[in-house]
Amino acid sequence: MKKKRLSKQQLLEKQKLDDKKFNRTMLISFGILFIGVLSVLVFYTYWCDTRFAWRKIAWYKHEVPANWICMKGDNLQIHESHKAKYKGETYYFCSQSCFNHLVKHFNEVAYTTDPVSGDTLLKANALIGLKKRNKTEVAYFKNKQNFKKYYESK
């Protein structure tokens, strides 16, 4: 079999096409690699913020664990709160100064009203839910029925 010999012009054109394919392949490969590395770095750097944003959305209409709430500010926290026992009840606070505020102003901080029934209740014994989706503000409920009524009305 005889191999077909290419002219100089045809050889240059073939080489240009091969170079274009190689450049396109390299550009796509490095683009995917760059986006992948960037995504990993962003999630690694902002992992807590990403999980916090997810919690603000996913925990709406669900009971929020008390250890993620600062009971002084009635807000969802980015990290778990500190557990503190006071007067035989367990409270959760983001800092020692919040707990000290509870000790000094117990009647104002430890009690709240149920948004459905209007009853006064102790925060340590209440069910906790987010007031609005994608917001950190929480509401305290006396029982499961009030909890369900609150979200059915929204």
Side-chain angles (χ1 to χ4, degrees):
M1 285 185 127
K2 214 177 190 188
K3 281 189 175 179
K4 184 179 175 187
R5 294 193 74 183
L6 300 174
S7 69
K8 198 173 195 177
Q9 181 72 22
Q10 290 172 327
L11 189 59
L12 287 173
E13 286 177 17
K14 185 177 183 304
Q15 194 174 6
K16 281 183 183 179
L17 282 174
D18 289 343
D19 285 347
K20 279 185 180 181
K21 284 181 185 177
F22 178 77
N23 288 342
R24 186 179 306 128
T25 304
M26 292 303 287
L27 183 64
I28 291 171
S29 299
F30 281 114
I32 290 171
L33 180 67
F34 178 74
I35 290 171
V37 168
L38 188 66
S39 298
V40 167
L41 288 175
V42 165
F43 277 105
Y44 180 76
T45 304
Y46 298 106
W47 182 241
C48 286
D49 297 324
T50 305
R51 289 187 327 194
F52 181 62
W54 176 82
R55 282 186 203 110
K56 289 190 297 184
I57 295 167
W59 284 354
Y60 181 70
K61 293 188 178 182
H62 293 87
E63 188 175 338
V64 176
N67 59 330
W68 289 97
I69 304 298
C70 178
M71 291 187 172
K72 177 192 172 219
D74 298 333
N75 285 319
L76 182 66
Q77 298 296 305
I78 197 163
H79 295 288
E80 285 189 69
S81 299
H82 303 288
K83 185 177 184 178
K85 287 227 178 233
Y86 186 71
K87 293 191 177 184
E89 299 291 340
T90 302
Y91 298 92
Y92 293 90
F93 296 97
C94 59
S95 66
Q96 185 63 38
S97 64
C98 284
F99 176 71
N100 293 341
H101 185 79
L102 167 81
V103 173
K104 291 178 184 172
H105 307 283
F106 182 77
N107 290 333
E108 295 143 18
V109 177
Y111 293 96
T112 189
T113 57
D114 186 315
V116 176
S117 65
D119 295 338
T120 301
L121 57 129
L122 192 63
K123 289 180 183 179
N125 300 328
L127 294 174
I128 304 169
L130 293 173
K131 284 186 177 181
K132 295 179 182 175
R133 183 181 304 273
N134 207 19
K135 300 291 181 192
T136 60
E137 201 173 348
V138 297
Y140 296 90
F141 302 94
K142 188 175 185 176
N143 52 37
K144 276 274 197 206
Q145 291 81 15
N146 289 356
F147 185 83
K148 288 178 182 176
K149 279 182 192 176
Y150 180 79
Y151 289 112
E152 286 172 358
S153 68
K154 289 214 170 223

